[in-house]
Every structure is written in C-alpha cells, then in structure tokens.
C-alpha cells in the first residue's frame, strides 16, 4: 500500500486537520515515507558512518554464547573483553570530527546523500551497538546488571545525542522504534542480529520476537488512517461516514491482533530461549547522575508499541506510560499523533449526547483490545536464570527486598497487566 498517498488523501479531505497533520508528519519524518519506518543500512550511508555498520557486524559473532560459564567473574570477563574490542575498533576506525560535522549538517537540513531511510538505519546501528556495549555478552550476566553507570565510548555518545534530538526523546538505551522498527530492511530481515551463530531455535526466536513489532504496525497502519478519517467525519457531522469508519476500524483490528496471537507461540518464540537470548539484551538497567541524583533507564518494552497507544487514545483511555517513560522512549512524532487522537476522541461526547450507535461500535473496538490484553497477560510470565537477577526490559531489575524471587516478580507484573485489562472499557 502506498501509505503516503493515503495520508495525502486524508489531508485533502480534512484540509488542515491537526490529527491528519500529525499522522502525515509521522509518516514523512520518522517513517521516511511509509509506516512502519523504511530503512537503509551500511553502504547507503555517507562514508564516515559506514565503519559503525562494519564494526557491529565484525564483532557480533563474539556477542552471544551457547554456554554460560559457572561463575560470574568469568562471565563478566567475557563482557569486558567484548567492550574492549569494541572500544578499540571505534577509536581506530571512526573519525569522530567528520561524523560530528556530518550529523550537525543533517540536523541543519543541509546534508546531501544522507536521507531519512539511511538515518533510520543508522539509528538502529547506534542503538544496537550501545546495547551490545552495555551488556558485552548474551545471555546478560549479574555482574553487568549490577553496574549502574556505564562508560559508553564517545563515538556512540555524540551520535546518540544527535539521534535523540531528531526523534525528540532522551534515554541512554534504545526503544521499540530504534531496536525493532529500524532494524529491519525492506526484505523483512534483521540487519543487526544479536545471536548470529546460535542454534536454529535461538535465531528463530530472535527473528519472530523482533518481527512481531513492525508486522503489527504494518497491519495497523490502515487503522490509523481510518481513525483520523472517523474523527474528521464526526467533527463535520457526517454520520454515515464516521459509522462506516468505525466498522472498518473494528474489522481491520483483527489482523494486528492475530499477528500477535500467531507469533507468540512456542514454535516461533521458544520460552526457554526468549528470556536469556532475546529479552535481556533489550533492557538497560543502568543510568546516570543528573544534578547529583541517580536516574535509571528501563528502556525497551512492548509497552511502547504505537498500535496500543493510538487505539487506547481513540477509545479515550488514559495513557499507560508515565510521562517520564513516554518522553524517554516514545519518539515525539508518535507522541504528538496519539495525543491529538486522544484530544479529538469523540467517544465521551457521543455518550453524553446519547449516541448509542457510536458507543456500540466503540464497545466492539474495546472488545478487540481486551482480546489482545487477555492473550498478552497469558504469555507474560517470567522465567529465571542462574546467571542473572530477575529483570524485565520494561521494568528494569526487579530483584529487591520487596521482590525477592521470580514468583513475587510475576505477581507484581501480573497486577500491572490485569489493571490495564480492567481499565480497557
Ligand atoms: C514473551 C513475551 C512478552 C512478555 C513476557 C511480556 C511482558 C510484559 C510485561 C510484564 C508488561 C508490563 C510491564 C511493562 O509495562 O513493561 C508488558 C506490557 C506490555 N507489553 Fe508485553 N510482553 C511480551 C511481549 C510483548 C509483545 C510481543 C508485545 C507487542 C508486540 C507486547 C506489548 C505490550 C504492551 C502494549 C504492554 C503495555 C500494557 C498494555 O498496553 O496492555 N508485549 N509486557
């Protein structure tokens, strides 16, 4: 589907409607002309940036290991060796002054030969390189989890700050957009693998756990168009058109939810593999001192998926994330779009005016989201592993006096998800 053409059509019918404008901005600037984002990696980048791509690919065979060593200090040595190799290659091969000039030209809008697709691909490369440096070995290990301040190489710092400004967020680690959307090429392949030489079952789990995110967004993108259209039709009092849009939204929602349902199965994402080889690496669980106060980043979680943010906003539900987590991990153009959808959500107004047709249609959409959340609650159990502390990517290291073991962690996380299911009305 030519999503840009659809968005242009939306702007034509809705003229200068705020929500249509934000969807258009999302597709143009973050999606490089489509949604989920289009990308280019490696050779299509300006010359000074290419070594980043090559260094990641050169080092990745040493990142993941099939056997976890019996003692933590040996595991930690593996992590430190990886970091030392990465630091040395970055120092040797990156001319940081050239990189800084290029990125500031890009920010000023005057960089020839570096388009938004390439920029998106570069975002994935730097994000994955930072995670590889932070953990140094997969499965992640206790000694690395216990490190709270990470001395990230300057070559990954200058670039990252610039990318964060472009995407309008702040965090030391990646997010669903950088680590998943931007890490696929146009043939649906992962570019920066983390388990390159591992078993088939591990690589299959890595692929499907990554791919489910852009696959859901791809299936959901026509829904976003109809969300905007229904808002516009409601505001111009075109009842036939907005009721038709609500029908279409409800029907289209089945596909992204089915993708989730069909993917989160043991034959695609093996439970025994998932936590050690897919999930841990996507967390961060470290931070920085801001004005003398320690601030920790949880980073990546499914809770950043635009699909849920946009449909929840359309239904008039409060956002699931705290402001801090939204501003840390959700790019600004995604935030602007879902905020505008929430602002223009007409469900409450229709309820107040006794429009039972709209409420009946909205109820059907709510039911679809409840199905998603039921399925998700059922899959969201944690496993434990001897080499690490209990941690989820979205809620960081959980092990503490209040949460001493995995059972207590499961109860804590279950409560969060059940609460959200309860709020989905
Ligand atoms: C085995 C895989 C998964 C597990 C164990 C899991 C676990 C969790 C947990 C514990 C939470 C609550 C803490 C938090 O906010 O981070 C959560 C939230 C969430 N996760 Fe997952 N998750 C998994 C996969 C996914 C996938 C693949 C998606 C979507 C593609 C997803 C979407 C969400 C969403 C949208 C939330 C926010 C709560 C909500 O809107 O209902 N999760 N997940």
């Amino acid at each position: 589907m030519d999503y840009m053409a659809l968005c242009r059509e939306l702007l034509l019918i809705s003229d200068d409607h705020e929500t249509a404008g934000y969807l258009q901005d999302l597709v143009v600037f973050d999606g490089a002309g489509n949604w989920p984002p289009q990308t280019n990696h490696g050779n299509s980048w300006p010359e000074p940036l290419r070594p980043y791509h090559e260094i990641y690919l050169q080092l990745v065979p040493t990142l993941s290991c099939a056997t976890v060593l019996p003692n933590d200090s040996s595991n930690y040595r593996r992590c430190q060796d990886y970091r030392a190799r990465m630091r040395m290659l970055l120092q040797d091969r990156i001319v940081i002054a050239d990189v800084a000039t290029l990125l500031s030209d890009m920010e000023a809008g005057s960089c020839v030969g570096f388009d938004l697709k390439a920029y998106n691909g570069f975002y994935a490369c730097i994000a994955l390189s930072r995670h590889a440096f932070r953990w140094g070995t997969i499965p992640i290990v206790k000694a690395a989890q216990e490190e709270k301040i990470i001395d990230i190489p300057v070559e990954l710092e200058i670039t990252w700050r610039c990318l964060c400004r472009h995407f309008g967020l702040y965090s030391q680690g990646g997010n669903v957009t950088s680590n998943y959307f931007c890490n696929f090429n146009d043939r649906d392949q992962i570019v920066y693998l983390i388990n390159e030489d591992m078993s088939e079952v591990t690589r299959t789990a890595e692929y499907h756990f990554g791919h489910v995110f852009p696959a859901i967004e791809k299936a959901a993108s026509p829904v976003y168009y109809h969300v905007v259209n229904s808002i516009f039709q409601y505001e111009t009092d075109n009842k036939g058109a907005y009721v038709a849009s609500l029908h279409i939204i409800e029907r289209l929602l089945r596909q992204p939810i089915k993708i989730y349902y069909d993917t989160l199965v043991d034959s695609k994402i093996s439970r025994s593999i998932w936590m050690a080889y897919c999930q841990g690496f996507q967390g961060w669980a470290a931070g920085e001192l801001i004005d003398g106060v320690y601030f920790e980043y949880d980073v990546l979680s499914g809770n950043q998926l635009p699909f849920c943010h946009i449909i929840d906003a359309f239904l008039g539900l409060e956002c699931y994330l705290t402001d801090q987590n939204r501003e840390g991990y959700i790019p600004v153009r995604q935030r602007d779009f879902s905020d505008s959808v929430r602002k223009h959500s007409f469900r409450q107004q229709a309820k107040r005016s006794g429009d039972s047709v709209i409420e009946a249609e909205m109820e059907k959409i709510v039911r679809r989201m409840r199905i998603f959340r039921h399925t998700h609650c059922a899959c969201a159990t944690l496993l434990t592993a001897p080499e690490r502390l209990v941690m989820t990517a979205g809620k960081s290291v959980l092990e503490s006096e209040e949460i001493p073991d995995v059972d207590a962690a499961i109860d804590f996380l279950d409560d969060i998800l059940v609460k959200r299911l309860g709020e989905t009305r």
Side-chain angles (χ1 to χ4, degrees):
M1 177 185 65
D2 181 353
Y3 202 56
M4 269 304 281
L6 260 190
C7 290
R8 273 195 295 272
E9 185 190 311
L10 205 54
L11 279 181
L12 279 182
I13 52 169
S14 56
D15 195 8
D16 59 353
H17 195 285
E18 175 194 272
T19 321
Y22 281 131
L23 178 58
Q24 166 105 345
D25 284 354
L26 179 66
V27 171
V28 171
F29 295 112
D30 289 6
N34 209 339
W35 195 258
Q38 304 194 91
T39 57
N40 263 328
H41 303 87
N43 285 341
S44 60
W45 301 347
E47 222 274 348
L49 306 183
R50 286 184 214 159
Y52 283 105
H53 175 82
E54 289 152 13
I55 291 169
Y56 188 92
L57 297 186
Q58 180 179 334
L59 288 180
V60 77
T62 61
L63 183 58
S64 189
C65 357
T67 46
V68 178
L69 300 171
N71 69 65
D72 203 36
S73 60
S74 322
N75 287 325
Y76 191 42
R77 203 166 316 120
R78 206 144 62 178
C79 158
Q80 287 172 312
D81 289 348
Y82 181 92
R83 285 180 181 168
R85 286 193 295 277
M86 185 181 253
R87 197 183 284 282
M88 194 189 73
L89 284 171
L90 289 168
Q91 270 168 8
D92 283 357
R93 303 206 29 214
I94 305 285
V95 183
I96 196 65
D98 292 354
V99 170
T101 308
L102 198 132
L103 293 178
S104 70
D105 288 352
M106 178 75 182
E107 269 186 298
S110 62
C111 181
V112 180
F114 194 21
D115 64 13
L116 289 170
K117 282 191 197 177
Y119 201 77
N120 285 342
F122 186 60
Y123 192 29
C125 181
I126 299 299
L128 272 285
S129 300
R130 288 173 69 90
H131 278 251
F133 187 87
R134 193 270 173 261
W135 295 114
T137 187
I138 298 175
I140 64 166
V141 295
K142 266 184 208 151
Q145 282 177 299
E146 279 161 356
E147 278 179 305
K148 289 297 155 195
I149 307 260
I150 313 292
D151 178 20
I152 305 267
V154 63
E155 295 82 0
L156 298 178
E157 277 296 277
I158 290 180
T159 42
W160 188 244
R161 270 185 246 128
C162 201
L163 288 156
C164 284
R165 279 196 297 276
H166 172 82
F167 285 96
L169 39 63
Y170 67 90
S171 159
Q172 288 190 336
N175 51 67
V176 162
T177 301
S178 60
N179 293 29
Y180 289 134
F181 296 166
C182 294
N183 196 18
F184 278 85
N185 63 20
D186 56 9
R187 280 158 288 143
D188 268 355
Q189 295 161 325
I190 299 181
V191 180
Y192 304 109
L193 289 165
I194 60 174
N195 294 299
E196 193 177 71
D197 289 337
M198 293 294 107
S199 66
E200 180 70 25
V201 69
T202 305
R203 284 183 290 116
T204 303
E206 176 179 352
Y207 181 80
H208 288 290
F209 191 66
H211 189 249
V212 70
F213 290 92
I216 288 182
E217 283 303 303
K218 192 172 185 178
S221 61
V223 180
Y224 306 159
Y225 164 84
H226 288 287
V227 160
V228 178
N229 195 34
S230 73
I231 288 173
F232 172 72
Q233 303 297 353
Y234 181 81
E235 289 173 1
T236 48
D237 213 14
N238 191 349
K239 184 156 185 168
Y242 65 71
V243 172
S245 274
L246 291 176
H247 273 308
I248 298 173
I249 292 170
E250 195 271 333
R251 190 167 44 75
L252 288 174
L253 277 181
R254 293 172 200 193
Q255 190 53 21
I257 294 169
K258 183 173 181 321
I259 290 172
Y260 178 87
Y261 193 80
D262 289 347
T263 310
L264 272 275
V265 291
D266 211 57
S267 58
K268 290 186 177 157
I269 305 173
S270 159
R271 289 226 150 234
S272 57
I273 294 295
W274 174 76
M275 196 183 74
Y277 287 93
C278 302
Q279 179 256 6
F281 178 89
Q282 306 293 349
W284 192 262
E288 61 188 327
L289 292 172
I290 300 177
D291 298 331
V293 180
Y294 175 71
F295 183 85
E296 184 157 309
Y297 298 96
D298 303 330
V299 315
L300 203 138
S301 159
N303 70 25
Q304 294 155 14
L305 193 71
F307 169 65
C308 292
H309 287 263
I310 293 160
I311 304 304
D312 283 353
F314 186 58
L315 293 171
L317 305 182
E318 284 306 311
C319 182
Y320 169 82
L321 294 179
T322 59
D323 287 350
Q324 205 168 60
N325 282 350
R326 283 190 89 210
E327 284 157 24
Y329 315 125
I330 311 278
V332 66
R333 282 171 282 271
Q334 290 178 29
R335 300 200 301 269
D336 285 347
F337 177 52
S338 65
D339 283 346
S340 178
V341 170
R342 182 171 288 105
K343 181 171 134 197
H344 291 270
S345 164
F346 52 86
R347 184 174 175 204
Q348 288 311 322
Q349 198 185 328
K351 245 189 202 169
R352 279 194 298 275
S353 63
D355 189 331
S356 58
V357 177
I358 291 187
E359 186 47 21
E361 291 302 324
M362 289 287 188
E363 282 287 342
K364 290 185 201 158
I365 297 173
V366 168
R367 270 209 293 280
R368 293 270 154 235
M369 290 309 282
R370 288 181 62 83
I371 292 172
F372 166 76
R373 293 204 156 104
H374 261 299
T375 317
H376 177 263
C377 277
C379 89
T381 50
L382 293 173
L383 297 169
T384 185
E387 74 280 1
R388 61 182 276 192
L389 301 166
V390 179
M391 178 183 115
T392 72
K395 290 283 176 278
S396 216
V397 173
L398 291 168
E399 209 157 311
S400 63
E401 272 179 25
E402 296 79 49
I403 304 180
D405 54 28
V406 78
D407 289 338
I410 290 173
D411 288 346
F412 171 77
L413 295 167
D414 266 355
D415 287 350
I416 297 176
L417 294 173
V418 169
K419 180 166 172 278
R420 191 58 176 166
L421 177 61
E423 287 163 356
T424 311
R425 320 219 142 265

